[in-house]
Amino acid sequence: TILVLDFGSQYSHLITRRLREINVYAEMLPCTQKIAELPFKPKGVIFSGGPYSVYDEGAPHVDPAVFELNVPILGVCYGLQEIAWLNGRCVGAGEKREYGPASVTVEKGLTNKNALAFFKGMPEVFDVWMSHGDKLHGLPNGYEIVGRTDNSPFAVIAHKTEPILGIQFHPEVTHTPLGKQLIKNFALEICHVNASWSMENFVDKEIDRIRKMIGPNEHVIGAVSGGVDSTVAAKVLKEAIGDRFHAIMVDNGLLRLNEAEEVRQTLGEYLGIKLTVVDASEEFIGKLAGVTDPEKKRKIIGNTFIHVFEREAERIVSETSGKVEYLLQGTLYPDVIESISFKGPSQTIKTHHNVGGLLADMKLKLIEPLRELFKDEVRQLGELLGIEHSLVWRHPFPGPGLGIRVLGEVNKAQLEIARKADHIFISEIRAHGYYEQISQAFAALLPVKAVGVMGDKRTYEQVIALRAITTHDFMTADWFDGFSVAFLKKVSSRICNEVNGVNRVFYDISSKPPATVEME
Ligand code: XMP
């Protein structure tokens, strides 16, 4: 394992990613981690970049014991300054930030063994991406320059004898085209780790771990939604403990057309998971009556979900004579990173509906088989476990469902309109081959009426907004600009003709920010 110590850069998790892409297992921990308390013994350590200056009051510093681990260390950007700071304070506050492309020239006639290993297979000059404020004004004791740029004479430094290197640029971003090679060289040529991490190994080990963890008479419950994360997590549990895993799908009445039935078929019949579908639609829709405030709607839906799920869980607990000990959660690595990352608290934009606070009273232990995986790795695992392609590549669907896509008050009639319009939009997207070019798409029902004309008669009806976006991480998003005019015409005319109560269709051309993906 390679340990990535996170100093809070927005790119830190990409270092872990790049290592996994070359089949090297890596874990990220906050830079304040006490070395004596490390949960594993790393074969190498990478210090990430970070938004601070080593001069800042309260700037984070590593536990100096990291240098006594006697394993190779690579400092990236802030990580380089940290090495220099701890070894002679030779860092200067930069007068100006350096941000953007640069090219590194490798020193001629290098003899430094670690530097030679680091540059193995690299050209003498290569492009990199810089993003930093401070820079070194001299070399720390025992180090030498092994690469420079026009602006940074200390772009790459290496200890003369120890395997410790520092780089001013970011090798983990795609703007440093050969950055992955450098990370690979550090891991394989300097740390000498095995590149043996693979999804097949991962899943075998994980199933084995779960079997050992869960006693022969113990049971696990978990909520499923039909989305990729909960389905893959459920399938892993099914493989590990069979029918001692109980999946619960809460039909909140805010699902898309035929969705509960499709989950019953896919998870229950096709994947053979023991599944209970609870129809709680009346309960949800009843509680939403008269509520228009988006945050209130989200809270009601979230709380009702917890309530219904707990009720079902209690039923299963009594049916299994109290043998349920665990709750399955589809936590992914980005959620884990979010909670361990070295960052201040960020502001809540929307209350996301999740199952974090579930079942506190029942004292269930958590089981999180996906907590080491990124989203695309979950998809890869899903395919490996035989989950159908269309489910594995499904767009995300929010927990509050159509409840936040019917803007304003939610009731059965409004849900019906949104559901039909959405079905037409998504079916046409699939039929025209756009589905996999888009990250997420849906139809929303706006809380306004507009005048129209149909068969010589004046109409006064509702408005559907279509939204389709592309994004890498859902933190920012662009509206999808690839629809043909013929496609838009067809969707618009189908919605106006087939969905009663709608006479206009709009296409949302707002990016995030300033908009968000969902409209509430
Ligand atoms: P926003 O609207 O915040 O959406 O830009 C970003 C992504 O998150 C999804 N989303 C949710 N997912 N529960 C979820 O499970 C929620 O309450 C929720 N709200 C938004 C949204 O669909 C998009 O993919």
Side-chain angles (χ1 to χ4, degrees):
T1 307
I2 300 262
L3 168 64
V4 178
L5 286 177
D6 174 35
F7 287 86
S9 154
Q10 54 176 330
Y11 305 130
S12 303
H13 69 282
L14 291 178
I15 302 177
T16 322
R17 277 240 45 142
R18 296 288 102 85
L19 286 161
R20 299 251 194 112
E21 281 165 11
I22 53 167
N23 304 94
V24 169
Y25 189 66
E27 271 197 46
M28 190 166 104
L29 290 171
C31 56
T32 47
Q33 169 71 38
K34 289 267 165 296
I35 295 303
E37 293 165 16
L38 272 182
F40 54 92
K41 167 124 180 52
K43 284 199 165 167
V45 183
I46 299 183
F47 299 169
S48 82
Y52 310 91
S53 158
V54 283
Y55 287 103
D56 288 345
E57 208 178 307
H61 294 291
V62 281
D63 178 352
V66 70
F67 292 97
E68 284 149 34
L69 281 172
N70 285 323
V71 296
I73 295 177
L74 174 66
V76 172
C77 195
Y78 182 92
L80 158 73
Q81 276 131 36
E82 178 72 359
I83 291 174
W85 179 256
L86 295 173
N87 292 283
R89 304 272 189 273
C90 34
V91 182
E95 285 107 59
K96 60 174 194 311
R97 283 183 62 79
E98 191 183 1
Y99 185 83
S103 30
V104 169
T105 307
V106 176
E107 290 292 289
K108 295 222 160 36
L110 270 186
T111 53
N112 185 309
K113 179 168 122 263
N114 294 306
L116 286 170
F118 189 58
F119 291 131
K120 189 174 164 188
M122 295 289 292
E124 274 163 38
V125 180
F126 57 91
D127 293 337
V128 299
W129 186 259
M130 291 282 191
S131 169
H132 62 96
D134 295 345
K135 52 184 176 185
L136 303 203
H137 59 59
L139 274 173
N141 274 341
Y143 285 77
E144 61 183 313
I145 295 173
V146 295
R148 55 182 97 214
T149 68
D150 289 347
N151 255 328
S152 296
F154 306 100
V156 189
I157 64 168
H159 192 279
K160 287 180 187 155
T161 52
E162 310 284 324
I164 306 177
L165 296 110
I167 53 184
Q168 186 66 79
F169 57 90
H170 287 273
E172 69 278 22
V173 301
T174 47
H175 293 81
T176 298
L178 296 174
K180 194 160 150 182
Q181 178 70 35
L182 292 171
I183 293 176
K184 185 173 176 182
N185 287 346
F186 176 70
L188 303 190
E189 306 293 330
I190 300 179
C191 304
H192 303 291
V193 294
N194 297 328
S196 59
W197 192 88
S198 73
M199 196 52 80
E200 283 85 351
N201 285 343
F202 170 82
V203 68
D204 289 347
K205 270 201 214 138
E206 191 57 22
I207 288 174
D208 203 45
R209 187 183 72 91
I210 293 170
R211 273 191 199 137
K212 289 196 178 118
M213 184 164 117
I214 296 167
N217 286 318
E218 290 180 335
H219 292 239
V220 180
I221 51 170
V224 292
S225 64
V228 50
D229 304 344
S230 63
T231 306
V232 173
K235 178 66 175 160
V236 171
L237 264 286
K238 157 81 188 168
E239 294 287 314
I241 59 166
D243 282 353
R244 286 184 290 126
F245 170 62
H246 307 259
I248 300 170
M249 156 98 177
V250 176
D251 178 353
N252 56 13
L254 310 169
L255 303 177
R256 287 167 292 191
L257 198 67
N258 302 330
E259 202 159 19
E261 186 46 35
E262 279 168 17
V263 171
R264 194 195 302 277
Q265 281 173 12
T266 317
L267 274 77
E269 290 169 25
Y270 181 67
L271 297 178
I273 293 166
K274 192 175 203 175
L275 171 75
T276 311
V277 180
V278 197
D279 181 1
S281 48
E282 297 292 337
E283 197 168 333
F284 279 86
I285 295 168
K287 288 198 177 150
L288 287 168
V291 185
T292 53
D293 177 68
E295 275 298 288
K296 276 201 190 124
K297 285 164 65 175
R298 283 173 169 272
K299 291 228 165 80
I300 291 172
I301 298 168
N303 292 339
T304 310
F305 176 85
I306 291 178
H307 187 70
V308 174
F309 185 77
E310 281 185 338
R311 210 166 55 206
E312 273 314 296
E314 271 159 19
R315 188 184 57 74
I316 291 173
V317 168
S318 70
E319 279 175 15
T320 54
S321 334
K323 288 174 181 156
V324 176
E325 294 279 340
Y326 290 88
L327 173 69
L328 171 68
Q329 301 239 286
T331 318
L332 303 194
Y333 200 53
D335 310 323
V336 177
I337 291 175
E338 189 65 25
S339 61
I340 61 166
S341 180
F342 192 79
K343 280 191 194 103
S346 60
Q347 209 199 338
T348 306
I349 310 288
K350 293 176 189 180
T351 313
H352 272 217
H353 159 103
N354 63 42
V355 290
L358 264 184
L359 306 190
D361 296 348
M362 291 176 70
K363 302 205 168 50
L364 294 177
K365 290 169 266 183
L366 280 189
I367 173 158
E368 302 177 309
L370 312 180
R371 62 175 285 123
E372 290 171 9
L373 305 182
F374 289 98
K375 187 86 178 185
D376 56 336
E377 292 174 330
V378 174
R379 295 204 159 109
Q380 201 187 328
L381 175 57
E383 305 244 18
L384 195 70
L385 293 172
I387 299 172
E388 63 191 46
H389 183 86
S390 63
L391 197 161
V392 165
W393 289 95
R394 223 166 84 127
H395 294 168
F397 183 64
L402 300 184
I404 53 169
R405 292 178 178 178
V406 168
L407 276 60
E409 192 184 344
V410 175
N411 57 42
K412 277 192 186 164
Q414 294 291 78
L415 286 166
E416 195 56 26
I417 294 177
R419 190 173 279 130
K420 279 189 179 153
D422 186 74
H423 186 69
I424 293 172
F425 186 38
I426 301 297
S427 314
E428 291 296 339
I429 283 180
R430 284 196 188 278
H432 284 76
Y434 290 126
Y435 194 85
E436 288 183 18
Q437 298 172 41
I438 295 172
S439 307
Q440 194 170 4
F442 59 90
L445 179 59
L446 304 185
V448 289
K449 282 185 156 188
V451 171
V453 57
M454 212 176 239
D456 293 339
K457 273 213 189 89
R458 176 187 191 271
T459 58
Y460 186 50
E461 293 185 329
Q462 302 198 80
V463 179
I464 284 287
L466 305 177
R467 183 135 175 82
I469 54 117
T470 56
T471 176
H472 291 294
D473 55 8
F474 293 90
M475 302 296 285
T476 62
D478 291 318
W479 57 277
F480 179 64
D481 63 4
F483 289 136
S484 71
V485 173
F487 169 86
L488 291 170
K489 275 187 182 165
K490 177 151 190 214
V491 171
S492 153
S493 92
R494 276 197 64 191
I495 290 176
C496 289
N497 287 320
E498 296 174 33
V499 185
N500 282 340
V502 173
N503 65 4
R504 279 171 200 258
V505 176
F506 291 5
Y507 184 52
D508 187 342
I509 50 168
S510 341
S511 53
K512 172 181 180 175
T516 52
V517 176
E518 302 292 341
M519 294 190 199
E520 281 193 340

